[in-house]
Amino acid sequence: LIENIGSADRLVQESAADIRHGGDQAYYVPAQDYIMMPARSMFKDTTTSTATENYYSTLFHELTHWTGAKHRLDRLNTAKFGGKDYAFEELVAELGAAMCCASTGVTSSPREDHARYIQNWLHALKSDKRFIFAAASQAQKAVDFLFSQQQAETLAA
């Protein structure tokens, strides 16, 4: 079972993102501006993470993509899978997810599968180390945007 983490749930809820559950894959649909997530029951414990950690890190990954929409941070483009721009956006989303987990108390230990995932994208970027810094900067902007939505909700209340 996935444990509810109040601060993580608040961040997601106050983002006002359109999040739908169904199917067996997680992804963001820019053209229709929604996030698709598998049912919570699809997330399981692994040797490195709990179902809770897996669920929230996946959700935060997609939420980071969501921040890149033109009417938000205008970071996304129509990059094709495997290209340099696509690899860059995947790094941004992975780093943004890690930052959101850390900021909301979602316990997260370094995971070998995430490290391999990031390494694959760094390899796709020809191991140009500047890209990791640029991606980290964009990830921080995404996280700042998400938390600014939360602060705006608090101020409006």
Side-chain angles (χ1 to χ4, degrees), residues 97-114:
M99 291 174 187
C100 283
C101 284
S103 298
T104 59
V106 175
T107 304
S108 184
S109 54
R111 291 174 43 186
E112 193 173 315
D113 58 333
H114 281 230

Side-chain angles (χ1 to χ4, degrees), residues 30-114:
Q32 297 173 7
D33 198 31
Y34 72 87
I35 294 168
M36 179 59 74
M37 287 288 292
R40 290 169 71 105
S41 62
M42 297 282 291
F43 291 87
K44 307 292 183 203
D45 290 348
T46 64
T47 58
T48 57
S49 301
T50 66
T52 300
E53 293 164 346
N54 290 328
Y55 175 78
Y56 283 108
S57 64
T58 301
L59 179 55
F60 287 145
H61 178 102
E62 299 309 327
L63 200 56
T64 301
H65 283 311
W66 175 86
T67 67
K70 188 161 193 67
H71 57 286
R72 291 184 197 95
L73 297 178
D74 195 18
R75 184 185 64 248
L76 299 178
N77 61 33
T78 57
K80 292 185 179 180
F81 180 82
K84 191 174 184 178
D85 289 339
Y86 185 89
F88 181 79
E89 177 59 22
E90 287 303 313
L91 276 173
V92 170
E94 196 65 15
L95 293 170
M99 291 174 187
C100 283
C101 284
S103 298
T104 59
V106 175
T107 304
S108 184
S109 54
R111 291 174 43 186
E112 193 173 315
D113 58 333
H114 281 230

